[in-house]
Structure formats: structure tokens, C-alpha cells
Amino acid sequence: MKPSRLSILVLSVLGSANVFADVDYKIDLSQPEHHLAKVSVTFPEAKVGEFNVNLPVWRTGKYQVLPLSDGVRLFSATDARGNALPWKRTASGEWQIALDKPTSVTVNYQLYANELGQRVRHIDATHAYLDASGVFMYSPQFRADAVAVQLTVPENWQSYSGMSSGNAAHSFVAPNYDVLIDSPIETGVSTHKTFSANGKGYELVLWGEGNYDADKVVKDLTALSDQAKAIWDGYPFERYVYMVHATSGASGATEHLNSTVIQLPRFSFRERKDYLRFISTASHEFIHTWNVKAYRPAGLVPYDYQHENMTELLWIAEGSTSYFQGQLLLRAGVMTPKEFLEDLAKRIEKSELTPGREIQSVAEASLGEWSSTGGDYAINHSVNIYSEGYLASLALDFSLLTDSNLAHSYRDVHRKLYQDYRVPKGYTVADVQQILKDLSGKDYGPWWQSHVNSPLSLEFSSLLSQAGLVMFYGKDSKAEPFTGMTLSSEHGSLVLSQVMRNGPAWLAGIVAGDEILAINGLKVTAQGFDKRIKDFKVGDKVEITLFNNDKIKQVALTLGEKQSGKLVLKGDAKATKRQKAFFKAWLGIDWPFDNKGELLTKS
């Protein structure tokens, strides 16, 4: 939208922007410095009886119950004549209003919004980010009705959303609440860019000062956005909005219907490793426009905003999105083959250091996402739907390429999901397996049982050799001592945050939360711990002095072994035509290695 030139937009009615709306939302942001807003919602005439209004207990893109209603105060309800209506709170996200006669209902409440990192609501003197799940109440009775939103904002603010603009400044309209809740609003002082790719319109909205180069971002987003055709045969939008927050520390991202919000600390854009993190996140969220927003598992259709939405397929929703994000950037020329393979190698290394991969399947992890809290127990007994889902997608892709003699890849599975299972449909395990059978001529039930319903066990060396890749730790790599502990320095002390299951520390009886004091009787600090361990050899027994439940304890620890350096993926100098063809069918680019298996200079 174009910025208003009025000092404050104070509109007592929604005007022409709301003529066709059945549910009218107003939010007053005219005094944003204390993170407060006034929200008003007017619903159409409702019947006599109990009239419920709700605020969701979770937001899309984060599969966990959140205390969103804690930001609501001064709730009131009135009828069409402005008379107060009796109400009571019936659940954490529900208010029940009693109607003794048919009437329209207006609900008013104060909203506190200072949760930037949750990407639900944040209001300050420079902007407001509004995700409807934490801002706008709805009535199940009118969930399918058209809505309009009018903002009252300071003079120099600009307002943007994936929703269509209304006829008044700072107003938006949507066909129903489900579109509203998946179309966040960014309003405030920001930088705005427009561009196009593959016949679609795009916008970039940057809030916050930082070391980003807006023109470079536009260039790379243009290249990325043009690559959707590598997977899907159409677009579910005509216009897409990239919202980027340069923050004081908050980071993360969330996908929406035809927009995304991406957050990074303000000086985390210029260095190449930081920029890759940003642009990879942008790719991830862009892919979600298809995978999750256009088609998603049946357990998520339709969204139930007041309860958990259970499905064993979140690993496809999130892990497969992670799997494709680097591929689109690689095809677009935004990420080099070297950077792509480095990312894959890091993921493999991380998996090898996650004992939970031996315990939990990706199907179980999908069902457990709603109650996942992370930490030491999770590392040792669980897997992550993103990282493990990535590797399950890799295994599925390689299996399908092999079974179809390179005629089909995992991209074709998602192309079919988009063609045949778009919302309001939802796909099931049986649907995915049928697609796999149609593409390969093979029953994927056994594969699914061993790779999805059971803990994923992959021999990466033989798997990647199909694409002509070899794994190694470099010529200077050597065995070095390993404790199996992760340290976190708190107030100068050396406290263990994680102890790897069945690792050296675990076997010695050391647990997360223990505080390390000394090695072989000599004091050790968090900064010097790793160096001190390297003074010993693999197999050496060292005496660890620590606090366990505030009691001094001495433990004998036998040092294990790990390879120094980083895992590296390179081309096989003896790669066959078949392996090179497999590589191209997998990633969509030509073989990037020379006859020695080294990446070509331009890579």
C-alpha cells in the first residue's frame, strides 16, 4: 500500500473498504510505544443462545500450543445498540457471550504485543507485525465469512500484507478467516522493493536497520522465485510478499499463504555464511507456499485453531521443504555446488552425532512435535522433523531415482501432490505411497516401514556413491580424543548441557547439569576445556572432578575417538556415466567436478 500522509488515521467507520465484509476488524496502533493496541471485531447478526469467540492456541508454522490469550485484557462485548452483553471465559482461547435475542456482536479488547521472536505479534514505536492467530479473535460460526481489517496507524507508517488491499488506506480484505490468519500484516517504517519472476509479482519489505544489501536480496530472490517450475507446474498465487525483520537478536521464519516473515539479527546478512543462512531460509519459506500451504497432510486440513493437529507426516511438510531449499538455490545459481555439498556434509555429521536417530522414527517425531521441548533427552532419544526429515527425503529421492531408472525423482511426488491434493483436500500415507507406486511401479510399503515407521538407518557412503560422491575427512584428518559432552558456560562455571547417550561421559556416569571443576586434579575453564582434552590420547583414562547435585564427585572417564576436521563430499575421480547421470537427475545441474574429483573453479 502507499503510505498515508495524514498524521494519524482515525476512522470511525471502515468505509468503502468494508462494504462487502461480514466480519469487520479494527486495530488502533496510534500509540504503539508501550506494545499496546485496541482491537474491535464486529460480527454479523447471531442467533439467540451462546455465541463463542476464540483466539487460536497455536499459530500455523509452529506446531506447539502457545499462551496467545495471555496478551488479552479489558475484554467486553456489546450488541447492535451498544448495550453490554454478559460473557464468561470458558477455555484458554474462548469467550462465551450470552444472547437473549438475535443481534450483531462487537467485541473489544486490549492487546499486548511484545513477542517478536514468536512471529505472532509485535508492536513498538517503529512498526507492528500482526499474525491474526495472536491478534484477531474469530467466531467459528462466521469463520467462512468475508473479513476486512482497518488499521489506525501513525503518519509515516506503511502497511503490507499478502491480502488484497481495501479501498481505504491501511485496510485489507480477505474471503474468510483462514486467509486472514495466513496473511500477516507488516506496518511501520520500512524499506519496500518490488520485482517480478516467471510472470508473478513480488514484494520485499525490510523492517529494521542492518547490514543487508536490499538490491542483492532482490536479485537473489528473483532468481530463487523463478525456480519453482523445477518442482511444480503452477503457482498458487499471483503476488508474494517477503517480509524481513532485522532484529536485535530474534531469529527464525514462518511461512504463510502467499507471504513469509524472516527474522535475523540485524548484522547477520553480509558475511557469506550468514547470507547463506538468510537466503536458505527464504528458499525454505518460499517452498512452503506449495508444500504446507497449497497441499498438506490430512491431519492439518482444515486447521483446528483450538487444538493440536496430529499427523505422522510433518517430516514431509518440514523435512522435505528443508531438502528442497538448497536445490532451488543451486539451480538458481545463488548457491554454489561447493556450498550445497558443504551443507549436506554438515547435515550428515549432525545426524551421526545425534543418538536419538537410533531410537525415534520420523513418523513418531511428527506425532511428537506438538510436545517436543528439545534439550539433552531429545538429542539422545528423539529426532528433529526438519533435519531427519531432510535425510528421509534424500533416501526416498535416491530410491525413486533408482527404481524409475532416473525417469522420476522426489520432485515428481510433490508435483503430483500439488496437482491432486490441494487444500481443501489433504493427503495421507496411502496417497503418498500410491504416487510412489505410480512413478516407480514398485510397492513402497516395505520401504516406508523400514525408513519412515522405523528409525532411519542410512549408510551414507554407499548411498551417495550412486551420485558419484565420496565422503572423507581430508588428508590431514586424524583420530582425536572425544568426551561426548556439550558444555555451556553459565556465570563463569562449566555446566554440561548435553551428554551423548552411550558416549564416553555417559558411560562414566556423567549427566547433563553436572558442573566440571577439574581434570586430573587441575582446574579447568570452559574456554580451556577442549584444549585440555587434546593434551591426552584416545583411550586415556582421565579423572573428572565435578559437582553433581551440589556434591563433589570424582569420575574416571575413558576418552573415546572422533575424526578431526570436517566431513567433505567430493566427486569420485572414477565416476561412471551412470553416476554422473544420477547426479544430474538428482540436482538438475551438470557434473561439477574435474577428472580428479575436485570441484571446477567456477563452482
Side-chain angles (χ1 to χ4, degrees):
M1 290 186 59
K2 294 181 179 179
S4 167
R5 297 190 181 277
L6 300 175
S7 59
I8 294 289
L9 291 173
V10 181
L11 303 175
S12 60
V13 296
L14 297 185
S16 58
N18 297 351
V19 169
F20 301 108
D22 293 319
V23 181
D24 292 339
Y25 293 91
K26 300 178 185 178
I27 182 164
D28 187 338
L29 301 162
S30 58
Q31 296 180 309
E33 56 275 6
H34 296 298
H35 315 296
L36 295 173
K38 298 176 182 177
V39 182
S40 174
V41 190
T42 299
F43 298 98
E45 183 176 289
K47 298 178 181 179
V48 173
E50 297 172 349
F51 180 73
N52 292 335
V53 294
N54 298 90
L55 191 70
V57 300
W58 66 286
R59 66 157 173 78
T60 62
K62 186 174 181 65
Y63 306 104
Q64 291 185 344
V65 173
L66 302 170
L68 300 180
S69 61
D70 189 47
V72 174
R73 297 291 187 273
L74 304 178
F75 180 94
S76 66
T78 57
D79 63 16
R81 295 187 177 183
N83 299 313
L85 293 168
W87 60 272
K88 61 182 178 180
R89 188 82 172 267
T90 51
S92 63
E94 184 172 85
W95 290 256
Q96 190 176 90
I97 302 167
L99 303 181
D100 59 7
K101 60 183 177 181
T103 181
S104 61
V105 176
T106 297
V107 168
N108 292 280
Y109 50 94
Q110 179 193 79
L111 182 75
Y112 178 71
N114 191 25
E115 301 171 1
L116 182 63
Q118 291 286 1
R119 294 175 298 285
V120 177
R121 57 192 180 216
H122 185 254
I123 300 170
D124 67 15
T126 65
H127 91 134
Y129 175 76
L130 308 171
D131 181 315
S133 61
V135 176
F136 298 126
M137 294 185 184
Y138 73 101
S139 170
Q141 183 175 337
F142 298 110
R143 175 172 166 174
D145 288 29
V147 303
V149 181
Q150 179 69 57
L151 283 64
T152 299
V153 300
E155 175 188 7
N156 61 337
W157 283 23
Q158 305 168 26
S159 301
Y160 305 97
S161 176
M163 287 184 287
S164 299
S165 297
N167 293 331
H170 303 278
S171 66
F172 300 96
V173 294
N176 51 56
Y177 185 79
D178 292 284
V179 172
L180 170 63
I181 205 171
D182 241 337
S183 305
I185 298 168
E186 172 65 34
T187 180
V189 179
S190 57
T191 298
H192 181 237
K193 300 279 188 177
T194 60
F195 59 98
S196 60
N198 209 24
K200 307 300 177 183
Y202 294 84
E203 298 176 52
L204 170 64
V205 181
L206 289 154
W207 167 74
E209 296 180 78
N211 63 351
Y212 50 78
D213 181 338
D215 291 334
K216 176 176 175 54
V217 172
V218 167
K219 177 183 176 182
D220 288 342
L221 289 180
T222 301
L224 164 65
S225 302
D226 190 51
Q227 286 302 315
K229 59 182 179 289
I231 304 177
W232 303 282
D233 55 5
Y235 287 72
F237 60 83
E238 292 299 321
R239 182 175 66 92
Y240 189 89
V241 184
Y242 289 98
M243 302 175 185
V244 179
H245 292 164
T247 75
S248 298
S251 62
T254 301
E255 72 277 5
H256 289 285
L257 198 61
N258 64 328
S259 63
T260 183
V261 57
I262 302 168
Q263 298 176 333
L264 280 176
R266 64 181 75 256
F267 300 117
S268 297
F269 293 87
R270 182 166 295 152
E271 295 294 331
R272 182 60 181 174
K273 64 180 178 61
D274 292 332
Y275 187 75
L276 279 175
R277 177 188 175 197
F278 161 69
I279 203 67
S280 294
T281 300
S283 180
H284 183 100
E285 305 309 324
F286 181 61
I287 290 167
H288 267 318
T289 313
W290 288 265
N291 184 23
V292 168
K293 293 308 172 184
Y295 58 87
R296 56 180 176 263
L300 301 176
V301 183
Y303 285 135
D304 180 346
Y305 301 123
Q306 305 313 125
H307 302 91
E308 298 95 329
N309 292 224
M310 303 299 289
T311 173
E312 61 187 278
L313 293 170
L314 280 183
W315 70 271
I316 291 182
E318 295 295 346
S320 297
T321 300
S322 295
Y323 177 65
F324 285 132
Q325 69 189 40
Q327 294 188 28
L328 288 196
L329 293 173
L330 183 64
R331 285 171 174 264
V334 176
M335 176 182 280
T336 66
K338 180 177 184 292
E339 290 166 338
F340 177 86
L341 294 175
E342 286 176 343
D343 176 70
L344 177 55
K346 287 178 183 178
R347 292 176 183 275
I348 293 172
E349 275 195 296
K350 182 179 179 180
S351 174
E352 295 295 316
L353 292 174
T354 304
R357 65 186 170 83
E358 300 170 340
I359 302 292
Q360 191 178 53
S361 69
V362 289
E364 185 182 357
S366 297
L367 292 168
E369 181 67 12
W370 287 92
S371 55
S372 176
T373 57
D376 179 68
Y377 179 73
I379 290 293
N380 284 314
H381 299 87
S382 309
V383 291
N384 180 284
I385 58 172
Y386 295 84
S387 55
E388 199 74 357
Y390 178 110
L391 297 177
S393 300
L394 172 69
L396 182 53
D397 200 358
F398 274 44
S399 180
L400 184 55
L401 283 163
T402 299
D403 291 338
S404 68
N405 196 25
L406 305 187
H408 296 291
S409 73
Y410 191 42
R411 295 187 300 275
D412 295 303
V413 175
H414 283 262
R415 185 175 296 115
K416 286 293 292 182
L417 288 172
Y418 179 61
Q419 290 173 347
D420 299 339
Y421 294 96
R422 295 184 64 174
V423 175
K425 285 185 178 180
Y427 65 84
T428 65
V429 170
D431 295 327
V432 178
Q433 291 184 3
Q434 185 61 53
I435 292 173
L436 290 166
K437 185 175 182 179
D438 292 341
L439 294 173
S440 68
K442 177 182 175 181
D443 177 12
Y444 264 72
W447 187 97
W448 202 272
Q449 182 60 37
S450 62
H451 291 79
V452 176
N453 294 337
S454 303
L456 185 65
S457 179
L458 298 176
E459 212 299 300
F460 289 105
S461 181
S462 60
L463 181 74
L464 295 177
S465 69
Q466 297 177 77
L469 298 177
V470 294
M471 299 168 49
F472 73 109
Y473 277 88
K475 62 181 180 180
D476 297 325
S477 179
K478 61 181 180 180
E480 62 181 20
F482 176 62
T483 64
M485 299 184 291
T486 301
L487 314 174
S488 64
S489 179
E490 297 180 358
H491 308 296
S493 61
L494 202 162
V495 178
L496 302 184
S497 59
Q498 295 172 357
V499 176
M500 180 182 293
R501 183 173 55 82
N502 293 331
W506 176 286
L507 296 176
I510 298 174
V511 299
D514 284 353
E515 180 182 344
I516 305 296
L517 301 174
I519 298 176
N520 286 353
L522 295 176
K523 180 181 178 180
V524 65
T525 65
Q527 293 74 24
F529 183 84
D530 288 338
K531 290 182 179 179
R532 184 76 179 98
I533 291 298
K534 289 181 180 179
D535 288 340
F536 302 96
K537 299 177 181 178
V538 174
D540 282 353
K541 184 174 290 186
V542 297
E543 185 178 76
I544 304 293
T545 304
L546 52 82
F547 274 128
N548 175 269
N549 289 329
D550 295 333
K551 291 184 178 181
I552 288 283
K553 183 178 179 180
Q554 291 184 328
V555 176
L557 185 153
T558 301
L559 294 171
E561 176 183 335
K562 73 171 184 178
Q563 287 296 120
S564 64
K566 296 179 180 179
L567 179 66
V568 176
L569 300 180
K570 62 179 293 185
D572 188 340
K574 298 180 180 179
T576 64
K577 289 183 179 180
R578 166 72 180 187
Q579 288 172 311
K580 293 177 180 180
F582 193 109
F583 183 93
K584 184 169 185 177
W586 169 38
L587 296 178
I589 65 170
D590 291 329
W591 182 250
F593 304 98
D594 62 20
N595 57 10
K596 294 182 180 180
E598 301 294 334
L599 283 164
L600 298 170
T601 303
K602 64 180 180 180
S603 299

